[in-house]
Amino acid sequence: MNPKYIKENANDVVHHLEYNAERTHLIIPEYGRHLQKLIDQATVIKDDVERNKAAKYIIQVMGSLNPHLRDVPDFQHKLWDQLFIMSDFRLVADSPYPIPSREVLQLKPDVLQYPQNFPKYRFYGNNIKYMIDVANKWEEGEMKSALVKVIANHMKKSYLSWNKDTVKDEVIFEHLYELSDGKLNLIQSSEELLNTTDLLRTNKRMSNKITPPGQPKIMGNKNQKSGKLNPTHKNQNRKPQ
């Protein structure tokens, strides 16, 4: 009897199940294990013609997952790169694009250099520090004095966004002196910053402008002052039956 048609024992089939935990790791799991097996089979083909033919067939199968992008040159380049990556760079085939290497794939980007990692006064923001550094480089004169006053007022406005109560000008001057490394000194000056009430009103006006769409706005008393009443519901005056 042909061994193909020999009836298998049910217990043997159960004990020889292949679990995913016992299988090899998939490099790109989106394509599935069947495609990974096709690539592994194409990798061990010794004939160059047959191996190139198998590689082109696998590219067609990979492109069938996105048929609308199958003939796009950039997408074809991506498929060939993924083919070599899934073969663990063991596949030798004639690719119409440059073959990627393992070293280029494992390259890590350079670490970004942030200007400040742990700023002491976070409620001022980094832009204030940039402005202070620019003011330190300017020559003494009216322009620098005006810039320093603008910076101090903006610091007070930022401080009030964090602390809604109040803040004294002396506190702002001390923070400005500290952030400028002692180069901008307004502690002994008679400068007066903007009024706290005006700055709080400005912050409230700006917060109303950035209200996200769809959020209901609070209506004022303009209709009451103009004598217009809100329309009543048509069933509001209906007598109960």
Side-chain angles (χ1 to χ4, degrees), residues 3-225:
K4 181 178 179 181
Y5 300 102
I6 296 177
K7 186 176 180 180
E8 296 180 349
N9 189 2
N11 293 329
D12 295 339
V13 174
V14 172
H15 288 295
H16 290 85
L17 288 177
E18 187 179 9
Y19 294 95
N20 287 333
E22 300 175 354
R23 296 174 177 176
T24 57
H25 176 69
L26 292 178
I27 300 176
I28 303 180
E30 289 78 4
Y31 288 105
R33 188 166 299 276
H34 294 290
L35 188 63
Q36 183 67 50
K37 290 182 177 181
L38 284 177
I39 296 175
D40 295 338
Q41 293 175 4
T43 303
V44 297
I45 297 177
K46 297 182 179 180
D47 188 8
D48 294 341
V49 178
E50 294 296 330
R51 188 170 58 254
N52 288 323
K53 187 185 298 183
K56 293 179 181 179
Y57 172 75
I58 294 174
I59 290 294
Q60 293 179 0
V61 175
M62 294 170 64
S64 63
L65 300 177
N66 297 285
H68 59 289
L69 298 174
R70 184 168 47 193
D71 299 328
V72 178
D74 293 340
F75 187 68
Q76 285 285 320
H77 192 181
K78 177 182 178 181
L79 292 181
W80 278 98
D81 289 346
Q82 291 179 343
L83 175 63
F84 289 107
I85 292 172
M86 293 175 66
S87 67
D88 199 17
F89 302 98
R90 294 182 290 107
L91 178 64
V92 180
D94 297 334
S95 173
Y97 306 98
I99 300 177
S101 61
R102 190 187 304 273
E103 292 76 14
V104 175
L105 183 64
Q106 295 178 350
L107 283 178
K108 295 182 180 181
D110 297 333
V111 180
L112 294 177
Q113 299 295 331
Y114 289 95
Q116 289 183 357
N117 293 328
F118 302 100
K120 185 175 181 179
Y121 305 110
R122 295 186 178 182
F123 45 86
Y124 289 138
N126 289 329
N127 291 331
I128 287 291
K129 189 65 175 66
Y130 297 150
M131 295 171 66
I132 293 174
D133 294 340
V134 171
N136 287 333
K137 299 177 183 178
W138 284 19
E139 297 180 357
E140 297 294 335
E142 295 181 358
M143 294 293 294
K144 182 175 181 179
S145 299
L147 178 60
V148 172
K149 189 173 182 180
V150 169
I151 293 174
N153 282 310
H154 193 72
M155 290 174 63
K156 186 175 182 179
K157 180 181 176 181
S158 301
Y159 191 98
L160 291 174
S161 298
W162 169 69
N163 186 1
K164 298 297 183 181
D165 295 336
T166 183
V167 57
K168 294 182 180 181
D169 294 348
E170 291 77 8
V171 177
I172 301 299
F173 294 156
E174 292 177 0
H175 291 174
L176 178 62
Y177 181 81
E178 183 179 355
L179 293 176
S180 63
D181 297 330
K183 297 180 181 180
L184 303 179
N185 189 359
L186 297 178
I187 298 177
Q188 302 297 333
S189 65
S190 59
E191 288 285 346
E192 293 184 1
L193 302 179
L194 294 177
N195 191 8
T196 302
T197 305
D198 297 336
L199 291 176
L200 289 175
R201 188 182 300 111
T202 303
N203 291 340
K204 183 177 181 181
R205 189 184 304 116
M206 294 300 297
S207 63
N208 291 335
K209 287 183 179 180
I210 60 176
T211 302
Q215 183 174 352
K217 297 182 179 180
I218 300 176
M219 302 300 293
N221 297 327
K222 293 183 180 180
N223 293 335
Q224 297 179 2
K225 293 181 180 180

